[in-house]
Amino acid sequence: MRSEDEKTRELLKKKESLIQGGGPQAAQKQVSMGKLLARERIMTILDDDSFHEYDMFVEHKCSDFGMDKKQLPGDGVITGTGKIEGHPVCIYAQDFTVAGGSLGLMHARKITKIMDHAIKLGIPIIGINDSGGARIQEGVNSLAGYGEIFFRNTLASGAVPQISIVLGPCAGGAVYSPALTDFVFVVDKITKMFITGPEVIKTVLGEEITMEELGGAKVQAETSGNAHFYAETEQECFAMVKRLVSFIPWNSRKKADRFPPKPPKPHYDLNEIVPLEPRKPYDVREVIRAVCDDSDFLEIQEYWAANIVVGFARLSGETVGIVANQPLVLAGVLDVDSSDKAARFIRFCDAFHIPLVTFVDLPGYLPGVDQEHAGVIRHGAKVLFAYSEATVPKVTIILRKAYGGGYIAMCSRHLGADFVFAWPMAEIAVMGPEGAANIIFRKEISEAEDPEATRLKMVDEYKCKFANPYIAAANGHVDAIIRRDETRDFLIRAIEISGQKQEWRPLKKHGVPPN
Amino acid sequence: MKNDIDLRTLKLEDTTYETRLTKKFLSRQPYARPCPSEIRAHIPGVICDLRVQPGQKVARGESLLVLEAMKMQNDLTAAVSGTVRTVHVSPGDVVPKGHLLIELDLHEHAP
C-alpha cells in the first residue's frame, strides 16, 4: 500500500472499524444461524466492484436507556447503489449483528434516503430485511421511521420496481414494507414474517405454534401468498433476484431490456402437451415453455393459488407477462386466491409496459360456501378491473375451454384484448356441454323413455352446435382460429405490431379497484 | 414444495374434470348453520366471569359470561330466551375461536 496522509489513514481506520458491524461474536452468531452477513449479501447480489456505500457514518441520536453510550455502526443498516448484471439499483440491507438490526429513526432515514434516490433516479430498489423490529429505546421515533418507509414504498409503487428479500425476522409493522413492494423473496428456515409472533398468540389466544409454522418461508410461499419467490438457500435466492431483474425495466418510463430472440427448446410439442378432451389435465407451464424464447419461464408465486400461473417470459426477445389457467390444479378454476394473484401481476405488468399474454383454459369459478363467504365476488372483480384498466398490449389465446364468466374475465375482447386467438378445439360457451344440455333439455331428458341415452344425445347436439370457437369468431370476438403449431408465430407478430400501441382512458385521479 | 402428483376428480356444472386438488380445497369445512341455543366464542380468549349456572332461566339480552380477548372484556349475552342446559367452561379457561361455551334450552315462542 502506498503511504497515505494522516487524514486518509484516519478515514481508512474508521471505515475498517465500521465494516466490522456488530463485531466478530455477533457475526459468528449470524453465520451459525446459516445466514450470510449483511455486507456479504449485498456483495453476492451485486456485480463485482459495483457497490458504493453511503451513510456509513450515520449515528443514532437516542440518549435514553443508556443508548448514548452505545455506538451502532451504520445504525444497523447498510445502504448504497450498485449494479445487477449491468442494471443500476439502489439497495439496503439491515445488519442483524448491530443491535439485532433494530429500526431506529436514523436507520429508517438511511433507508428512506436510498429509496428517495431510487425514485428520483428511476432505478429499482432492493431491500434486504433482517431485523428484530422497532428499536424500543427510541419509542415513537422508530414507529415514525416505519411509517416514512411505507409512505415511500407507496410513492415508488408503479414508478420503480421494488424487491424485498426477507432474510431473517421481519415482524410486526415491519412486514408492511415488503407487503407494499412488488416482489417478496423468502428463504427456507431463514425467513420469519408475521404481524404477531408465537409468544403473543400463546398468551392472548392460548394457541401454540412455532415461528416456522406461523410465518416461515414455506408458509409465506404456499399458504398466505405473501411471498413471490421461494428459495432453499440465500445463494439460490440471489440468483433468482438476478433473473427477475433481467426481465423487468428500470422504471415505468422505460421498457425492459430486449434480448436476442431464441427459439423454444425443440422437445416441447404443443400437439403432445395438450389433450383434446377438455376434461383431461395438463401442465399449462409446458405450453408456455413451448412458445416462449429458449423455453425460459420465470414463474411467480409458484406454490400459492397454483390453479393460475403467472410469470415472465420473452417472445422474440421482448419481455411479456404471462397469465395462464392451470388445468392441472383445481381444473384451472378462478377463485379468491387465483384472482388476487392474477390481478396484482396484471397491474404490475401494466405499470411497467410489459405486454400481457393470456392463455385461457378454464371451466369457470370455483363453487362453494367458503368461496362465496370469502368474497369471491369482490376478489374475482379484481381480475376484470386489472385487465380492463391495463393499456399495455393484451393478447389472448383460448386453448380449450372458456366458459361463462371465466371467458369474460380472462382478457376477452370485451375487456380490451387487442388480439384474441383460439385453437380449433376451443369451446367458447356459457357453460360446458353437460351442464348446458341438462338445463336446456331438462324436460326432454326427464320425459324420455331412456333418459340417459337422451341426455348423451343432447350433450352431443350441444357440443356440435356451441362447443367450438366458430360462433365467437363469427361475432368477431375471436380474431383468428389458428393451428396449435402457429401459436408462437401469432403471439410474436401480435406483440411486435403492438409496439406503438396507445390507448386513452378517461381523465381521473385514479380508479378505485375492488379489494 | 412439490404438489403431489395424484389426480383426483372435480365436478363442475355436471362435468367431471381430472385434476389435482389443493390442500386448501381439501381442508374446506362443511357449512354449519349458526344455532341460537349454542353460545360459542366469537373470538379466542379467556373466560373471566361466568354469570349463569345450569337450570337458570335467562331472558334475551341477559349476560351469560365475560370473555376477555385482546385486552377487551366481551359480554356474551343470550340471543334468545331460554334455560341454561350445560355450561362447558369455567373461569380462567382459555378457549379457541368457535369453542362451545354454553348450551341453552330455548323457551317456546322464544323471542
Side-chain angles (χ1 to χ4, degrees):
Chain A
M1 196 202 244
R2 68 202 151 88
S3 70
E4 304 279 6
D5 60 87
E6 197 189 329
K7 295 281 183 198
T8 307
R9 275 200 304 275
E10 191 189 337
L11 167 71
L12 294 177
K13 212 175 130 203
K14 280 185 182 211
K15 280 175 116 175
E16 188 55 40
S17 148
L18 288 169
I19 279 174
Q20 299 304 315
Q25 259 185 325
Q28 184 50 45
K29 204 172 162 207
Q30 174 91 350
V31 173
S32 73
M33 287 190 281
K35 291 155 71 174
L36 291 177
L37 297 170
R39 212 171 292 273
E40 290 173 343
R41 287 168 169 169
I42 289 178
M43 299 308 175
T44 317
I45 296 183
L46 297 182
D47 297 348
D48 290 347
D49 300 322
S50 73
F51 183 53
H52 270 189
E53 182 170 349
Y54 305 127
D55 286 341
M56 202 180 204
F57 298 102
V58 163
E59 288 178 16
H60 72 81
K61 306 243 183 312
C62 182
S63 55
D64 297 319
F65 307 108
M67 283 294 286
D68 46 350
K69 291 177 197 73
K70 274 199 183 154
Q71 230 215 337
L72 303 178
D75 208 33
V77 63
I78 300 163
T79 66
T81 59
K83 287 188 171 180
I84 293 180
E85 320 255 306
H87 288 66
V89 297
C90 284
I91 191 165
Y92 70 85
Q94 293 180 308
D95 185 349
F96 198 82
T97 68
V98 178
S102 62
L103 184 137
L105 187 65
M106 293 312 288
H107 177 121
R109 289 270 156 85
K110 281 182 70 171
I111 295 175
T112 55
K113 187 170 161 187
I114 202 73
M115 291 174 79
D116 287 338
H117 275 305
I119 296 169
K120 272 185 290 185
L121 306 178
I123 57 179
I125 174 85
I126 297 176
I128 302 176
N129 297 69
D130 185 4
S131 162
R135 193 174 297 154
I136 297 163
Q137 294 91 332
E138 295 200 28
V140 71
N141 275 341
S142 71
L143 301 183
Y146 281 120
E148 286 169 17
I149 294 171
F150 304 157
F151 181 71
R152 280 162 184 81
N153 283 135
T154 308
L155 294 187
S157 177
V160 295
Q162 300 185 81
I163 294 170
S164 298
I165 311 171
V166 184
L167 298 178
C170 179
V175 294
Y176 283 118
S177 178
L180 288 166
T181 62
D182 300 307
F183 301 104
V184 177
F185 288 75
V186 294
V187 175
D188 190 30
K189 297 188 185 73
I190 291 178
T191 305
K192 275 141 194 99
M193 297 173 78
F194 33 73
I195 298 282
T196 49
E199 278 172 40
V200 179
I201 290 183
K202 195 179 168 190
T203 27
V204 178
L205 314 173
E207 294 171 326
E208 283 206 43
I209 191 162
T210 65
M211 278 198 206
E212 199 64 35
E213 291 166 325
L214 181 64
K218 281 199 176 87
V219 170
Q220 303 302 351
E222 236 179 10
T223 311
S224 69
N226 289 325
H228 299 81
F229 294 97
Y230 168 91
E232 302 275 343
T233 64
E234 292 196 21
Q235 297 288 351
E236 189 196 343
C237 171
F238 298 147
M240 290 164 99
V241 173
K242 289 183 189 187
R243 198 155 162 241
L244 170 66
V245 169
S246 80
F247 277 103
I248 59 180
W250 300 4
N251 60 51
S252 61
R253 302 185 302 274
K254 213 175 168 308
K255 295 247 340 169
D257 281 355
R258 189 173 260 286
F259 276 61
K262 275 186 185 170
K265 301 232 164 74
H267 61 272
Y268 290 100
D269 179 358
L270 283 175
N271 294 332
E272 271 179 28
I273 295 166
V274 184
L276 292 178
E277 173 60 54
R279 289 182 293 191
K280 297 277 182 198
Y282 63 91
D283 190 343
V284 77
R285 293 173 297 191
E286 299 286 290
V287 173
I288 297 164
R289 293 191 183 102
V291 298
C292 70
D293 284 18
D294 204 26
S295 303
D296 181 20
F297 174 56
L298 177 63
E299 187 171 357
I300 300 167
Q301 289 174 314
E302 182 179 348
Y303 306 106
W304 179 67
N307 40 326
I308 206 155
V309 169
V310 301
F312 297 116
R314 292 188 185 92
L315 282 172
S316 193
E318 178 167 353
T319 295
V320 292
I322 306 249
V323 181
N325 306 119
Q326 172 60 292
L328 189 61
V329 179
L330 288 178
V333 291
L334 279 173
D335 61 1
V336 167
D337 289 344
S338 63
S339 296
D340 284 6
K341 177 172 161 181
R344 181 103 201 267
F345 178 71
I346 293 162
R347 299 192 87 198
F348 178 87
C349 291
D350 187 47
F352 291 98
H353 307 293
I354 298 172
L356 285 161
V357 177
T358 304
F359 292 84
V360 185
D361 190 346
L362 86 165
Y365 290 84
L366 182 64
V369 177
D370 58 326
Q371 284 293 310
E372 298 296 338
H373 287 189
V376 69
I377 295 176
R378 65 188 166 85
H379 288 277
K382 294 183 205 185
V383 178
L384 307 177
F385 196 104
Y387 269 130
S388 303
E389 180 191 46
T391 55
V392 288
K394 296 186 281 194
V395 186
T396 302
I397 170 114
I398 301 171
L399 309 179
R400 295 191 310 183
K401 310 171 292 295
Y403 296 152
Y407 154 72
I408 307 170
M410 292 307 293
C411 203
S412 60
R413 154 72 18 83
H414 328 297
L415 302 188
D418 298 298
F419 297 98
V420 180
F421 306 129
W423 284 356
M425 54 290 293
E427 298 185 0
I428 306 170
V430 171
M431 55 167 59
E434 283 83 2
N438 286 347
I439 293 171
I440 300 172
F441 306 112
R442 177 172 294 154
K443 205 159 160 239
E444 286 92 326
I445 293 170
S446 67
E447 287 171 1
E449 242 171 73
D450 185 346
E452 185 52 21
T454 313
R455 198 185 68 82
L456 290 175
K457 201 180 132 231
M458 295 309 180
V459 167
D460 260 358
E461 195 174 306
Y462 183 90
K463 250 187 208 166
C464 289
K465 223 168 178 175
F466 297 108
N468 61 59
Y470 296 103
I471 297 173
N475 285 283
H477 305 321
V478 166
D479 301 307
I481 302 170
I482 60 172
R483 292 196 322 264
R484 283 178 277 181
D485 59 5
E486 294 176 305
T487 307
R488 177 172 156 88
D489 184 47
F490 267 78
L491 292 179
I492 287 175
R493 285 184 196 207
I495 296 294
E496 275 177 357
I497 210 161
S498 309
Q500 299 300 312
K501 179 187 172 185
Q502 284 192 324
E503 200 170 290
W504 308 111
R505 292 287 186 264
L507 191 64
K508 56 183 157 184
K509 192 171 168 199
H510 59 72
V512 187
N515 65 8
Chain B
M1 293 291 290
K2 291 286 162 227
N3 294 313
D4 53 330
I5 308 147
D6 69 324
L7 293 174
R8 313 277 276 276
T9 58
L10 179 65
K11 196 168 178 182
L12 298 164
E13 287 176 338
D14 301 333
T15 305
T16 306
Y17 296 92
E18 283 177 41
T19 189
R20 288 181 196 161
L21 302 177
T22 59
K23 256 198 273 181
K24 189 171 177 176
F25 181 82
L26 290 167
S27 56
R28 294 187 304 173
Q29 295 294 320
Y31 177 66
R33 192 161 282 133
C35 176
S37 66
E38 293 177 351
I39 314 298
R40 291 178 181 273
H42 61 292
I43 186 171
V46 184
I47 309 297
C48 60
D49 191 9
L50 202 53
R51 293 179 171 168
V52 292
Q53 37 189 300
Q56 188 176 333
K57 285 186 176 168
V58 292
R60 184 165 79 147
E62 199 174 322
S63 174
L64 302 174
L65 58 76
V66 176
L67 174 70
E68 187 178 313
M70 300 305 292
K71 303 180 184 92
M72 292 290 290
Q73 300 207 331
N74 300 275
D75 194 1
L76 268 63
T77 58
V80 286
S81 60
T83 305
V84 176
R85 188 198 311 156
T86 328
V87 175
H88 292 279
V89 287
S90 320
D93 283 2
V94 177
V95 294
K97 185 179 172 178
H99 189 81
L100 181 60
L101 308 170
I102 290 172
E103 283 177 279
L104 301 177
D105 285 317
L106 302 190
H107 289 165
E108 258 181 78
H109 317 300

